[in-house]
Every structure is written in C-alpha cells, then in structure tokens.
Amino acid sequence: MSSSIKRFAVAVGVAAVVVSTPVAGARAADEVSGDASGKGLQTRSAVQGEQHPTRHTQDEGQRSVARTIGSGIIDGKEWSVTLTFHPDVPENFPSVDPASGFGDSRPGDPALLCQRVFIGGVQVDHQAGPWAGCAVVDGRDDFVEGAGLHGLTDKGTSGTRIFVGNPASGTATARLTLDGGTVRTAEVVTLPGTSYRAFALPVADGETIASVDTFDGQGSRLTHETYWD
C-alpha cells in the first residue's frame, strides 16, 4: 500500500507509481549521514554500471529498459525500487483502453512504465497483480512529476517505508531530513533513452520526515517540502 498526493493512472486502480509537486547522469547513490537510530540502515549505490547494469530486451528499436533506482537494508529488511519502460503496451496489460493515458489524454505512442517498490521481498501493492505499479505513458519522452511514501501497511503512513520521487527535469539530487536531524541523500536515476527518472530513500519504522529538498547539478535548491510527516 502507498500514500501520495496525486496518482498515475495505474493498472487495476492500484497506485504504485505516485505523483506530487533531478536529469543529471544515470546515478542514484544513496548517501546516508547522521544517526540511523539503531534501525539497521544500510544503503547501496543504485547505478554503478558494473553492479547494476541497465537491462535491455528485444531489438534496438523496440527494447524494454530497466534500472534499479535504489536499494539497501532498512529495519533489517532488504528494499529496492526499479523502473522499467516497455515501448509497447503488452497485450495482457489489464486496461479497458490500453490507449488511454493520464487523465483524459490519449497518447499518440502508447507505452508502459512500471515503478516497483519491494520491502522485505514483498512488492508494495502486489495485490493488484503482475502489473501493479504500471501505467500507460506517451512514448519515451512523456513524464509526470511525483513523489510518495510506499509501505506495506496503513497506506504507507507507518512502518517501514520507501520515499520515491519522480522529480522535474534538471534535478540532480534529493535530500530527506528526519525530525531527529538525520539526513539521507540520493542522486537521480534516468532510464537511458527516455525521460523517466526517479530517486528513492528509506524511512524506518517510527521515523518522521521533517523535509524533502531537491537540488540541481550546481547544488541550488529547487524544491522544499515539509508535509511528509
């Protein structure tokens, strides 16, 4: 289950890609500073080519692209976030109208974007079936900015959660500050050959977010949000 302030149009009405209000390389290294409060926090770089190579399928013109946005250990549980772009909407995608996109729009080049969050080996919103976290998009260059907390209980409002952001073009890094002063930062990952991008940061059970900030490649702050408590 997950919480957000706006949502993608998602298969079977379940939101796993969520929306609110950086493309600086294809890196998403989660850097952690401050006290982890004994929560068993560990994060790993999501984009060092030899560790998390971009995966392609099919031929050059019609290939799917997948990439890990972030991964690590929080509350003793492994977590990860992945983005996958399918250039064509699969025939078995459970949509009444596979040519419908966000809101009332009808994409001229229907494709599928999947953003999947796993905590302790369980996919958030897995109850929606194999296409949970997937939405129809308009080709490789469509984009909807967003952010949300994703968890397996209480719609992402408690327990172990993962904060996933889909920031505006030009955003390079994100910083999550907890009420206790702990700061966690991540770089943005962009799917090669597309405009789709995201970052991910873990939030342990009992932790409260004080603010989430995003920055451009020169370190200038672009956004400052304080309503994620």
Side-chain angles (χ1 to χ4, degrees), residues 3-225:
S3 67
S4 66
I5 63 175
K6 187 179 177 185
R7 300 174 184 270
F8 272 174
V10 181
V12 201
V14 177
V17 180
V18 292
V19 185
S20 89
T21 249
V23 169
R27 297 191 53 193
D30 288 353
E31 302 172 2
V32 180
S33 61
D35 177 21
S37 304
K39 297 293 183 178
L41 173 68
Q42 176 183 333
T43 57
R44 295 190 291 269
S45 170
V47 275
Q48 300 189 359
E50 62 278 10
Q51 294 181 357
H52 297 278
T54 301
R55 301 188 300 277
H56 301 284
T57 61
Q58 303 179 21
D59 59 37
E60 184 71 21
Q62 294 296 322
R63 64 187 183 184
S64 297
V65 182
R67 198 148 205 181
T68 301
I69 302 304
S71 64
I73 298 175
I74 186 73
D75 288 335
K77 306 169 186 176
E78 292 189 359
W79 67 271
S80 66
V81 178
T82 61
L83 273 182
T84 303
F85 173 79
H86 301 278
D88 296 302
V89 179
E91 292 182 0
N92 61 338
F93 180 70
S95 173
V96 175
D97 181 2
S100 64
F102 306 114
D104 297 326
S105 64
R106 295 180 62 84
D109 182 19
L112 197 70
L113 180 69
C114 299
Q115 180 168 284
R116 294 183 168 121
V117 181
F118 289 85
I119 301 173
V122 179
Q123 183 182 341
V124 173
D125 292 333
H126 63 279
Q127 300 91 337
W131 296 109
C134 299
V136 176
V137 293
D138 194 352
R140 294 178 178 271
D141 296 317
D142 193 8
F143 195 74
V144 175
E145 295 176 31
L149 276 167
H150 301 253
L152 298 173
T153 59
D154 298 328
K155 297 184 179 180
T157 60
S158 65
T160 304
R161 291 152 292 158
I162 308 300
F163 187 95
V164 183
N166 305 102
S169 175
T171 309
T173 58
R175 182 178 68 200
L176 184 151
T177 303
L178 300 173
D179 277 345
T182 298
V183 173
R184 295 174 188 150
T185 62
E187 295 182 16
V188 173
V189 170
T190 299
L191 282 178
T194 79
S195 295
Y196 303 109
R197 52 194 174 270
F199 65 86
L201 288 164
V203 180
D205 185 15
E207 292 182 333
T208 302
I209 298 173
S211 64
V212 178
D213 301 275
T214 61
F215 302 85
D216 65 17
Q218 289 69 51
S220 299
R221 188 166 67 182
L222 300 175
T223 63
H224 176 68
E225 299 174 347

